Amino acid sequence: MDESRNDEIKPGQDSVLGAEPPALRLNQTRTGIKPKAMPDPEADLTDPNLYFNRELSHLQFNVRVLEQALDEAHPLLNRLMFLLIFSSNMDEFFEIRVAGLKNQLALGDETTGADGRPPRSVLNEISHIAHEQVERQYRVLNDHLIPQLEQQGLRFRRRSDWTKGQRDWVANYFATEIMPVISPIGLDPSHPFPRLVNKSLNFIVELEGKDAFGREGGMAILPAPRSLPRVIALPDELCEKGFTEYIFLSSMIHAHAEEVFPGMSVRGCYQFRLTRNADLSVDPDDVSDLASALRGELLSRRYGSGVRLEVADNCPEELVDFLIKQFKLEETDLYRVSGPVNLTRMMSVLGDVDRPELLYRSFTPGNTKALNKRDSVLQAMADGDILLHHPFQSFNPVEELLREAARDPDVLAIKQTLYRTGADSPIVNALVEAAGNGKEVTVVIELRARFDEADNLALASRLQEAGAIVIYGVMAYKTHAKMMHIVRRERGELRHYAHLGTGNYHSKTAKLYTDYSLLTANPVLCADVHKVFQQLSGMGRARHIEKLLHAPFTLHDRLVEMIDREAAFARKGKRAHLIIKCNSLTEPKLIQALYRASQAGVECDLIIRGMCCLRPGLPGISESIRVRSIIGRFLEHTRVFHFHNDGKPETWCSSADFMARNMFHRVETCFPLLDKKLAARVRKDLETYLVDNCQSWLLQGDGTYVKQTPGDAAPISAQETLLYAYAARA
């Protein structure tokens, strides 16, 4: 049996970081200010050279996440977490984005984005960057994080280092926990190559000898049981004093592979993992029951066409070629890795380790004075608008609002949109309670929220069983808006309350993502929310909405108008400034509006976490546009649009990004902050992001990102500043 240790993490002999620091660390040179150039009135703003490719920009965001694993400003276990998030992000990138490009090629579709790059060219560059970054990821893990974790008493034991006691324990674990559920599959004419589940851990095994039926050994596939953890903690008594020690499931299977094939000789055992196309396709013209159609599609997701093959880097060439042929892949789809092929499953270690000193310090989210003064959230809302900035401020008031409404005898009706919310969440529990208490509960559930479809189907069933009216929205448009509407009888009249947000109704992500929540009893805003709900549940032409902007109807055109309005002020010699903060900027007409604004002299500050197809700093086109990405402890998720508007500033929050799908293919809301104090507070938050010099990456005209450093200035982290400003004092 092959004794190489490629199923395990390898602490580095000859650290590559020491030998080649530039290969691991990205350029951190500060960006200079370029002299202004005259705008070109004849410039063609649809020229493909003015746009970055969307998929490559998406990939660059993943690289910035990986970079956090090397940033010693983060605690050690958080650095490991960033590295594992990179793995998870890359899985989804291949499942959806790369799969889409491959499908496009297969159909002979040469349609290009605004950048004009054909699919084959994009795929080739993705392959080059991805191979480089995956190799870098394993070097960071093997040569840096694992040795540093061991210095802190957290060790991942290699097979060659097992003590006798550990070997005996592993043998017993294998016999009692693994062997009863493992199912080897020999490959012969009566046992064709098995259909393997997307992203499952498998082994290809070389065998010698004859089995019980006289069949000559050859090859077998050994799927790792999905029910078993991928990383197992050793009992304390078997660990070296002062250490918490872990063993990989893959190591155990390697060590005892011959027991799975009794009487045969195992010449080699090599792990591999196949990533498949996981995008769901439901034809709106061919579906009578969306829920049933999705249930069928969810099964097919597990067995879509292959898009990436990861194998241990010691796997013989002939076995690799065999796997590539089986999955109908190309050589560029192969990723040889120096360690476990399924790094994302190491996330379990973060939940298992009780070492708070190796993680960010916990904090208690703050609350607002308005809520502290009142025993009832509804009463506080009646006093005036309330704005919460999660996770710095608690998400509990949103949940408490719904619980209060569920139990209040004067509340008649509750309407709610749900996009990503677990079936057992406090939000759903309150909706179930409200329905049980006789309230009119209407819930618009977006079943097609990617990778949450199964949870949303379960959630829909639970609400229906409780007596709620469940609507799946509009077939051709995902319902992405974050809205809650409550109708209450007060003094013989009906009063309306609403919640509008930039993020999902999800307790867990509210602690990890930055988002805004507006709690309001403003009659105009509440009436607008009511109209949007009626539009979702009923039929008829688009209704006039007073204050909200509403995709797919008014949001895109009004955003273009507001950007053009700033440009008009600039042309008159007036001060003009806009700040856009969102997750992605890819929609060409919005980019063209920003180019026009820059040409007119508008100062444009864009805070774009992920994809950005706009090219900043181009003379005569975009030289007054600055694009920064903030990557830190929390995932930046707020969508905020601020316009100077000739000294009458407008600040909007939204569920929508600057993407075509949000503007034209989703139901989205964008709400104004009508309270001037709240609007000023959000403007101050935005300015904090603009001066961040610790977690801010500045986009260059060539598509690269440069990390900003304090230099001689005082270090400023926007997230830490907001945490200090809003979270409860310890």
Side-chain angles (χ1 to χ4, degrees), residues 532-543:
V532 175
F533 271 114
Q534 286 187 317
Q535 207 162 276
L536 285 169
S537 60
M539 300 188 76
R541 292 189 176 277
R543 303 183 64 180

Side-chain angles (χ1 to χ4, degrees), residues 668-718:
E668 305 274 12
T669 53
C670 179
F671 51 96
L673 296 179
L674 301 175
D675 184 304
K676 291 183 179 180
K677 288 184 179 179
L678 297 183
R681 174 187 146 191
V682 171
R683 167 64 192 268
K684 187 176 179 181
D685 291 349
L686 292 172
E687 290 173 344
T688 303
Y689 283 106
L690 295 179
V691 296
D692 184 300
N693 57 19
C694 293
Q695 297 172 324
S696 180
W697 298 76
L698 213 59
L699 176 59
Q700 310 298 291
D702 63 358
T704 60
Y705 282 81
V706 175
K707 186 175 183 186
Q708 302 303 284
T709 55
D712 296 329
I716 301 172
S717 162

Side-chain angles (χ1 to χ4, degrees), residues 25 43 101 232 261 270 285 289 299 308 357 359 366 403 410 478 492 500 510 531 568 614 639 652:
R25 201 70 186 163
L101 288 168
I232 297 100
F261 305 95
Y270 312 95
D285 297 326
D289 182 343
L299 182 62
R308 175 183 61 170
E357 74 277 14
L359 291 161
R403 279 193 294 267
D410 293 323
K478 283 187 178 180
L500 290 156
K531 289 175 187 175
L614 176 148
R639 289 95 164 191
W652 301 75

Side-chain angles (χ1 to χ4, degrees), residues 32 369 532 569 582 688:
K369 292 179 180 177
V532 175
F569 289 134
C582 58
T688 303

Side-chain angles (χ1 to χ4, degrees), residues 281-297 448 475-476:
S281 56
V282 177
D283 185 350
D285 297 326
D286 194 33
V287 170
S288 58
D289 182 343
L290 179 59
S292 296
L294 271 177
R295 286 189 180 94
E297 283 293 317
R448 295 161 295 174
M475 185 63 205

